[in-house]
């Protein structure tokens, strides 16, 4: 063995990156991301930063994510904080920090008493996140370093995303990850940081030949190596610093490096075959160790993470010294492990299977001696040791621990593994499947649980468990859309078995009564009534609100006026406090349904409340983003189109991985583009999105693309295919009873039928809609039917009757508000008034032109101005202002006015947040809403435009 330096004593090829990081951490708050492939030098750059003089006065709080996951969320954050009790001894922490006692028992002496538990898991997590942010603030000035985020658990990602919105003014954050392995959620952590946070995102490139030569010179402690050798080394290492180090260590071990005229060179090129990459070089270096040292290296590779030196050495000090001297392992604070995960994996993969099993068995015995016992690692080693029974018990215990701590992703992964790979008694299998089913519903990308639920239902299990399984079966079928026809039956079977659990039973009943379920309207009403009758027996307020919200959403879309009373009940039960997650969903569901059904103002108020009153416990921001999707739809339907295209584009980026939300965003984007002429919208594009919405059971969403398809097809002179598509959609609307929503299509459908020469069919379809809408709570009915009947009168030359119908429809549309529809009705009214030389024609045309111009509806504007020219009238040039906004909703809420006045006084978002005990993100939202409502373009203008106190 030829001893020598393994790691470069100086940083090579990263001087500019280090300088940028040093400059960044000189200010706070600040966040830096270092991205790069394995072995590129992320950890070395971070270590150099932490050793820089600029960091000398900062507390360094460090943690790393590991490949073998533990059923313990927030692992790297816990690692960064668990030894900081003494630093917090004098800190004045608020009661919310007491929520950290279970997560960080090491800090118990410095933490307040634990607060009472909450019923909402998301709210519990949010309270923990607030506590962590407060502790980090109390430890400032500090730098938090979290490495290898590509292996992060879901809650760590959620916390760091949350932390970016409340980053303390004394904290710097450094994050590292492998770009090719990092999920979208990791990349999104720093995507929406406030302007007050300084930031850097560094992507480390491979070393070039000159930098490789400099690194080799530093490791070999010489001024120079030959150019030939450096070029060969660069080629074989592919510019990876880790590979450079490993290859030099291997060459040294082989004795194939020689000094040549004051430098280092290789022996003849044809005499040396250096393996490319890291794997072969590491394996050869281990093979050259003594048997005892090799065993230590293999034990370390199997353990995978650093462990106390005593546990690894097994009493053989000489073997430990040898392997440490080789540079393969490194020791820090009494813990010994491989310098890099790639090296550990290379050694692990080279161990023969039988020996590897024995080493995993020994590793299981080793980690059992750690306190607390790392259940995830223990389960991993037992599994690979072939100890199936012990692995099963440990994996279940790990899943239960993960579930208890709110780590649904890890609980789901462990339970899925257990259920797929073991034979269990029927009752135990059912219990674990139920746990997996509920955990999976919390996940953005759930595992495929339907086959596991089906398998559990094939066995004889107690009725309450069977009810849970059937409900979960229905919910997962509904979510995945893999068997739409089977969903209502699954819900009905669940309701029968859940008599002893009224909350879940009511939820199942609502599932049967959903309009997309295919059951007859009368039967659905019975099930919904049963759900409402069950609610008094439901003790859980959040479950009561969930059911109430679902029933109210259905009622508003089918025109049942009871939705308003149920919504009032929801408001009363949630008044004066933040909304829990299920309550946010209830507000959003009703608000979205109300908007589609024509209750634009009330729907918008509910959606705004869902966002403003429910953002704090929304850890991933998904509830808020879904609310913003619904608000974008409301803006489209209202005709509030200024900046809408940009908002839709941003939301499409946010929901690229959620098809359920994306289909609605695609629909609105395509329809807006078609009207504003941003791109050529072909009929196939609309047909594709119609097919997608229909396949997912989004029958209410169908109205927008079907209406646009009819308009475009009619304008292009080929309405019949679009009429056929509308007829197919009408079958779903008829079966679902969604007439208050479906009526939006009527004007476009009537016009298409008339263009196709099918006057009688047009009359029939108008009267069919009128009949279906009779007695329903359908705000659009009057204006839409007036417009459609105006089209019929216009087709027969009954100009005065048609004009009156169009004018009344236009005025009603403006009140809703539905400004695009109002503009169309104004234009039709003007055309009819021109036809019998009525003086009011010019005024109606001016209104249409103004609205079209405000909306940016280019083709419609050209058509309307062309109409004026044909009658010898040149409409005035439209005013240059933004799209008309819905009237009547400009009043500031009490919180918006409070925040706006502080902003007008010159306070920053951070200062307002501290004064009002809000997050800066919430403050920013209130300021933006206030500026939008009063028409201010800056904080200075906001101060001038705010109403006097």
């Amino acid at each position: 063995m030829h001893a020598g330096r393994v790691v470069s004593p100086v940083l090579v090829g990263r001087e500019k990156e280090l300088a940028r990081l040093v400059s960044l951490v000189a200010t706070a708050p600040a966040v830096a991301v270092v991205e790069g492939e394995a072995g590129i030098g992320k950890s070395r750059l971070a270590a150099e930063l932490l050793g820089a003089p600029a960091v000398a006065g900062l507390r360094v709080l460090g943690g790393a994510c590991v490949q073998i996951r533990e059923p313990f969320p927030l692992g790297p954050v816990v690692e960064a904080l668990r030894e900081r009790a003494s630093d917090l001894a004098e800190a004045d922490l608020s009661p919310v920090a007491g929520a950290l006692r279970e997560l960080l028992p090491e800090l118990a002496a410095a933490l307040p008493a634990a607060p009472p538990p909450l019923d909402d898991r998301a709210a519990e997590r949010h309270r923990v996140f607030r506590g962590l942010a407060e502790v980090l603030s109390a430890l400032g000035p500090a730098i938090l370093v979290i490495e290898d985020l590509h292996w992060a658990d879901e809650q760590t990602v959620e916390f760091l995303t949350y932390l970016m919105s409340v980053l303390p003014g004394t904290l710097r954050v450094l994050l590292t990850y492998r770009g090719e392995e990092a999920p979208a959620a990791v990349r999104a952590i720093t995507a929406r940081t406030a302007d007050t946070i300084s930031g850097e995102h560094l992507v480390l490139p491979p070393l070039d030949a000159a930098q490789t030569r400099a690194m080799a010179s530093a490791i070999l402690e010489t001024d120079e190596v030959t150019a030939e050798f450096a070029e060969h080394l660069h080629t074989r290492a592919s510019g990876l610093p880790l590979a450079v180090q490993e290859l030099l260590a291997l060459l040294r071990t082989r004795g194939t490096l020689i000094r040549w005229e004051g430098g280092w060179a290789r022996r003849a090129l044809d005499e040396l075959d250096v393996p490319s990459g890291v794997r072969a070089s590491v394996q050869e270096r281990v093979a050259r160790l003594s048997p005892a040292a090799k065993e230590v290296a293999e034990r370390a590779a199997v353990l995978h993470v650093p462990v106390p030196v005593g546990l690894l050495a097994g009493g053989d000090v000489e073997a430990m010294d040898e392997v440490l001297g080789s540079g393969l392992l490194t020791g820090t604070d009494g813990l010994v492990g491989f310098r890099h995960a790639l090296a550990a994996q290379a050694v692990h993969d080279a161990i023969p299977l039988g020996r590897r099993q024995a080493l995993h068995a020994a590793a299981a015995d080793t980690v059992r001696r750690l306190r607390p016992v790392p259940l995830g690692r223990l389960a991993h080693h037992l599994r690979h040791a072939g100890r199936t029974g012990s692995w099963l018990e440990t994996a279940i215990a790990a899943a239960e621990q993960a579930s208890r701590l709110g780590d649904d992703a890890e609980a789901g992964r462990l339970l899925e593994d257990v259920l797929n790979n073991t034979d269990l008694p029927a009752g135990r299998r059912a219990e674990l499947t139920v746990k997996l089913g509920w955990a999976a519903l919390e996940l953005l990308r759930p595992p495929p649980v339907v086959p596991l639920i089906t398998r559990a239902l094939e066995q004889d299990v107690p009725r309450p468990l069977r009810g849970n399984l059937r409900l979960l079966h229905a919910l997962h079928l509904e979510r995945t859309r893999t068997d739409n026809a089977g969903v209502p039956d699954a819900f009905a079977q669940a309701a029968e078995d859940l008599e002893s659990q009224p909350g879940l039973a009511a939820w199942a009943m609502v599932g049967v009564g959903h309009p997309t379920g295919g059951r007859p309207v009368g039967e659905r009403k019975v099930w919904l009534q049963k759900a409402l009758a069950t609610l008094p027996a439901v003790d859980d307020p959040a479950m009561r609100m969930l059911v109430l919200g679902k029933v109210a959403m259905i009622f508003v879309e089918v025109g049942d006026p009871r939705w308003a009373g149920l919504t009032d009940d929801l408001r009363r039960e949630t008044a004066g406090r933040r909304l829990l997650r299920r309550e946010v969903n209830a507000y959003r569901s009703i608000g979205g349904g109300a908007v589609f059904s024509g209750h634009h103002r009330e729907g918008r108020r509910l959606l705004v409340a869902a966002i403003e009153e429910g953002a704090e416990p929304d850890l991933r921001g998904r509830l808020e983003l879904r609310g913003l999707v619904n608000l974008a739809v409301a803006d489209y339907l209202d005709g509030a189109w200024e900046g809408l295209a940009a908002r839709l584009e941003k939301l499409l980026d946010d929901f690229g991985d959620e098809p359920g939300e994306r289909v609605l965003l695609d629909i609105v984007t395509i329809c807006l583009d078609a009207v504003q002429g941003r791109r050529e919208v072909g009929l196939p594009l609309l047909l594709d999105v119609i097919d997608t919405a229909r396949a997912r059971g989004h029958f209410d969403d169908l109205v927008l693309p079907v209406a646009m398809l009819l308009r475009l097809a009619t304008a292009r002179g080929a309405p019949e295919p679009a009429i056929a598509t509308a007829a197919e959609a009408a079958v779903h609307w008829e079966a679902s009873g969604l007439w208050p929503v479906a009526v939006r299509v009527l004007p476009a459908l009537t016009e298409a039928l008339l263009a196709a020469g099918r006057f009688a069919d047009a009359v029939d379809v108008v009267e069919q809609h009128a009949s279906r809408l009779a007695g329903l709570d359908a705000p659009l009915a009057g204006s839409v039917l007036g417009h459609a009947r105006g089209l019929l009168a216009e087709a027969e030359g009954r100009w005065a009757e048609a004009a009156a119908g169009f004018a009344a429809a236009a005025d009603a549309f403006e009140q809703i508000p539905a400004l695009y529809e109002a503009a169309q009705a104004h234009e039709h009214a003007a055309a009819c008034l021109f036809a019998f030389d009525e003086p009011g024609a010019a005024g109606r045309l001016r209104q249409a032109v103004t609205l079209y111009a405000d909306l940016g509806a280019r083709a419609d504007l050209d058509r309307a101005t062309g109409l004026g020219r044909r009658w010898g009238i040149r409409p005035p040039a439209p005013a240059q202002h933004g799209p008309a906004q819905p009237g009547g909703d400009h009043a500031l809420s009490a919180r918006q006015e409070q925040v706006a006045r502080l902003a007008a006084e010159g306070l920053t978002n951070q200062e307002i947040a501290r004064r009002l005990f809000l997050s800066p993100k919430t403050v920013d939202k209130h300021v933006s809403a206030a500026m939008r409502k009063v028409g201010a373009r800056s904080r200075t203008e906001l101060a001038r435009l705010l109403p006097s106190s």
Side-chain angles (χ1 to χ4, degrees):
M1 175 69 63
H2 295 262
R5 190 185 299 278
V6 175
V7 179
S8 173
V10 295
L11 186 68
V12 177
R14 306 287 184 239
E15 295 83 0
K16 291 181 180 179
E17 289 88 348
L18 178 60
R20 288 168 63 180
L21 291 178
V22 168
S23 175
L24 179 70
V25 300
T27 61
V31 59
V33 172
V34 178
E35 175 184 345
E37 61 184 301
I40 201 69
K42 301 182 294 296
S43 296
R44 176 63 185 271
L45 181 58
E48 292 287 336
L49 172 65
L50 298 182
V55 181
L58 304 178
R59 277 196 180 94
V60 176
L61 311 171
C65 308
V66 294
Q67 192 170 11
I68 301 175
R69 294 271 288 274
E70 285 299 323
F72 202 88
L74 301 159
V77 183
V78 170
E79 181 186 348
L81 297 177
R82 62 162 38 115
E83 303 298 330
R84 296 293 171 175
S86 60
D87 296 331
L88 293 168
E90 303 300 322
D92 183 20
L93 299 174
S94 75
V96 75
L100 303 180
R101 282 180 164 269
E102 183 173 10
L103 186 70
L104 283 161
E106 299 90 345
L107 303 186
L111 296 174
L118 300 173
D119 291 333
D120 188 272
R121 177 166 280 187
E124 288 272 17
R125 289 204 300 271
H126 178 256
R127 189 163 63 179
V128 168
F129 287 7
R130 288 174 59 200
L132 288 171
E134 184 172 333
V135 166
L136 286 169
S137 180
L139 290 171
I143 179 168
L144 173 66
V145 182
I146 304 294
E147 295 203 67
D148 294 328
L149 267 174
H150 49 277
W151 287 328
D153 64 277
E154 187 177 81
Q155 283 199 39
T156 295
V157 176
E158 288 181 358
F159 169 67
L160 291 173
T161 304
Y162 166 80
L163 183 64
M164 294 302 106
S165 70
V166 296
L167 197 61
T170 57
L171 186 64
R172 294 91 171 152
V173 178
L174 174 63
L175 309 174
T176 75
Y177 56 75
R178 300 177 190 171
E180 73 278 10
E181 297 180 33
V186 168
R187 292 184 168 278
I189 289 172
T190 56
R192 297 197 296 171
T193 54
D195 292 340
T196 55
I197 300 175
S198 302
E200 285 279 6
H201 189 126
L202 307 178
V203 180
L204 301 185
L207 301 179
D208 59 25
Q211 292 165 338
T212 301
R213 191 174 187 180
M215 174 174 277
S217 296
I219 292 174
L220 298 175
E221 302 176 89
T222 185
D223 292 336
E224 190 61 84
V225 297
T226 64
E228 180 191 37
F229 173 57
E231 183 62 39
H232 177 81
L233 186 61
H234 174 256
T235 301
R236 291 306 181 96
S238 302
L240 286 180
L242 175 67
V244 173
Q245 293 169 180
E246 290 297 333
L247 289 169
L248 286 173
L250 175 60
L251 292 171
R252 211 182 226 139
T253 301
R254 288 180 176 180
T256 52
L257 284 173
I258 61 171
R259 287 194 176 274
W260 181 260
E261 295 180 355
W264 286 88
R266 291 190 310 116
R267 290 179 176 167
L269 287 175
D270 57 358
E271 294 178 9
L272 178 64
D273 178 22
V274 180
S276 61
V278 174
R279 180 179 300 271
S281 69
V282 170
Q283 290 173 355
E284 185 170 340
R285 289 174 65 199
V286 170
R288 292 172 181 269
L289 295 172
S290 68
K294 179 180 178 182
E295 184 174 344
V296 170
E298 289 179 339
R299 283 204 298 268
V302 168
L303 286 163
H304 201 76
V305 296
V307 295
V309 64
L311 293 180
L312 186 60
D316 194 334
V317 177
E318 289 185 3
M320 176 59 70
D321 288 344
E322 181 184 345
V323 75
L324 284 170
S326 73
L328 285 164
L329 303 188
T330 183
T332 305
D333 297 329
L335 301 177
V336 176
F338 272 85
R339 287 186 180 276
H340 199 282
L342 287 180
Q345 191 64 47
V347 175
H348 181 274
D349 292 348
I351 303 170
L353 180 59
R355 176 162 174 73
R356 194 188 305 167
Q357 276 197 325
L359 287 169
H360 274 292
D365 294 335
T366 297
V367 299
R368 272 201 184 99
R369 302 205 295 271
L370 298 175
R371 292 295 178 271
V373 176
L375 292 175
R377 273 189 277 162
L378 180 57
H380 169 81
H381 293 308
L382 290 169
R383 178 88 177 272
H384 287 279
R387 296 181 180 178
T388 305
S390 298
W391 163 72
L392 173 63
E393 295 172 5
T394 306
I396 291 173
E400 289 173 346
Q401 178 177 295
S403 180
R404 187 170 63 253
L405 295 171
D407 192 349
D408 295 308
E410 184 64 8
R413 185 189 69 80
L414 289 162
L415 289 171
E416 183 191 14
D417 200 10
V418 165
L419 291 166
N420 275 323
N421 293 287
T422 57
D423 289 322
L424 295 164
R428 187 61 169 149
R429 171 169 290 277
E431 291 171 0
L432 295 178
T433 305
V434 166
K435 289 182 178 181
L436 171 61
W438 289 119
L441 286 175
E442 301 292 329
L443 303 179
L444 184 60
R445 297 179 187 83
V449 299
V450 169
L452 292 171
I453 295 172
T454 302
R455 180 178 173 185
L457 282 170
E458 289 170 352
Q459 299 176 301
D460 185 21
V461 297
R463 190 178 183 193
L465 267 179
R466 189 169 67 243
N468 273 262
L469 286 168
R470 284 178 165 164
L471 177 59
L472 287 165
H473 187 228
L475 291 171
H476 282 283
L477 286 177
E478 184 179 54
R479 180 174 182 176
T480 58
R481 301 290 176 184
T482 51
D483 180 15
N484 289 339
V487 171
D489 287 341
F491 276 124
Q493 292 169 355
E496 293 175 8
D497 285 332
L498 288 168
E499 286 181 314
S500 62
Q501 300 170 75
L504 296 180
W507 190 350
M509 293 169 189
V510 174
V512 186
H514 198 277
T516 60
R519 299 264 175 132
V521 173
E523 184 181 345
R524 293 203 308 267
K525 287 182 178 179
V526 170
W527 279 100
L528 293 175
Q529 192 58 47
K530 288 172 65 175
L532 290 176
T534 305
L535 283 184
V538 180
D539 295 327
D540 179 6
M543 178 61 73
R544 208 162 49 243
M545 295 304 96
L546 178 141
V547 173
L548 203 63
K550 287 180 178 293
V551 175
M553 178 200 69
I554 294 170
F555 279 174
V556 74
E557 289 197 333
V558 300
D560 189 323
R562 288 179 292 173
W563 78 271
L566 295 179
T567 303
D568 289 341
D569 291 343
L570 177 66
R571 282 199 172 106
R572 276 192 295 272
E573 285 220 35
T574 58
R577 62 173 173 81
R578 305 293 300 183
L579 300 178
L580 300 177
R581 182 180 46 169
R582 284 179 173 172
E583 293 162 353
V584 171
N585 275 324
Y587 272 67
R588 189 180 65 83
S589 298
I590 303 171
V595 166
F596 263 108
S597 303
H599 298 275
H600 288 200
R601 297 181 193 278
E602 179 60 14
R604 182 179 290 276
R605 279 190 282 269
L606 289 166
L607 293 172
V608 169
I611 293 171
E612 293 186 352
E613 301 303 322
E616 287 295 324
D618 181 16
L619 305 178
R620 289 171 291 188
R622 308 309 281 186
L623 288 182
E624 181 179 359
L625 285 171
R626 290 188 179 103
L628 291 173
V629 170
N630 291 116
L631 274 180
V633 175
D635 287 341
Y636 176 78
L637 296 175
D638 282 352
W641 292 359
E642 184 176 16
L644 179 57
R647 294 199 299 281
L648 289 168
E649 184 177 358
K650 176 66 172 63
L651 288 166
L652 279 167
D653 288 340
D654 290 329
F655 280 104
D657 53 359
E658 292 193 38
E661 302 296 337
R662 189 175 180 93
V663 65
L664 182 54
L665 288 168
D666 283 337
I667 285 171
V668 177
T669 299
I670 292 168
C671 290
L672 184 67
D673 286 350
V675 176
Q676 294 190 326
R678 294 178 181 274
R679 58 171 165 161
E680 182 67 26
V681 174
L683 302 187
L685 187 62
L686 283 162
L687 290 169
D688 284 347
V689 80
I690 287 169
D691 287 342
T692 301
R694 187 162 46 213
R696 296 193 63 81
H698 294 192
F699 301 135
D700 47 358
D701 297 348
L702 281 175
V703 295
L704 301 182
V706 168
M708 187 57 64
L709 180 74
L710 287 162
R711 289 193 184 106
L712 293 183
T714 301
R716 296 171 188 181
E720 285 291 359
I723 293 170
T725 299
E728 292 172 5
V731 172
H732 297 294
W733 296 328
E734 173 82 52
S736 304
L738 295 173
W739 291 107
V741 178
V743 72
R744 289 183 182 276
V745 174
L746 183 59
L749 177 57
T750 304
E751 200 159 7
L753 287 167
L754 293 172
R758 297 167 57 179
F759 181 85
D761 289 339
V763 172
D764 288 344
V765 80
V766 172
E767 293 313 310
Q768 179 197 38
H769 278 75
S771 173
R772 298 292 191 274
L773 289 163
L776 299 184
D777 181 12
L780 291 168
S783 50
V784 169
L785 288 169
H787 189 132
R789 285 168 174 156
L791 290 168
L792 297 177
E794 183 183 38
E796 293 188 315
R798 292 180 276 121
W799 307 116
E801 180 185 341
F806 286 132
D811 295 340
F813 278 132
E814 289 203 41
Q815 289 302 309
I816 284 174
L819 300 184
Y820 184 51
E821 288 79 0
Q824 293 173 307
H826 281 306
E827 182 188 356
H828 278 288
C832 292
L833 291 169
F834 279 131
F836 67 100
D837 201 23
E838 170 62 35
R844 286 289 173 182
L845 185 60
R846 277 195 295 273
Q847 288 176 281
V849 166
T850 299
L851 285 174
Y852 283 144
D854 288 343
L855 293 165
R858 300 173 188 176
D860 297 289
L861 180 60
D862 290 344
R863 186 184 61 246
T865 54
L867 172 65
R869 284 193 295 271
R870 285 197 300 275
W871 289 94
I873 293 175
R874 182 179 296 277
Q880 298 299 309
H881 51 75
Q885 300 293 322
D889 289 325
H890 295 286
L892 300 182
S893 69
R895 177 66 87 184
Q896 286 168 351
E897 183 170 352
Q898 182 185 28
V899 170
R901 293 196 181 281
L902 292 174
E905 292 173 12
L907 273 69
T908 67
N909 286 358
Q910 295 278 356
E911 290 168 335
I912 298 171
R914 284 194 290 271
R915 182 175 296 191
L916 300 181
F917 301 99
L918 299 172
S919 74
K921 181 179 176 182
T922 301
V923 171
D924 182 66
K925 185 166 48 185
H926 288 319
V927 172
S928 298
M931 291 174 66
R932 183 176 68 250
K933 287 184 177 181
V934 303
R937 290 170 293 183
S938 67
R939 291 194 178 211
T940 302
E941 197 172 20
L942 178 63
R944 180 172 58 81
L945 294 175
L946 278 175
S948 58
S949 301

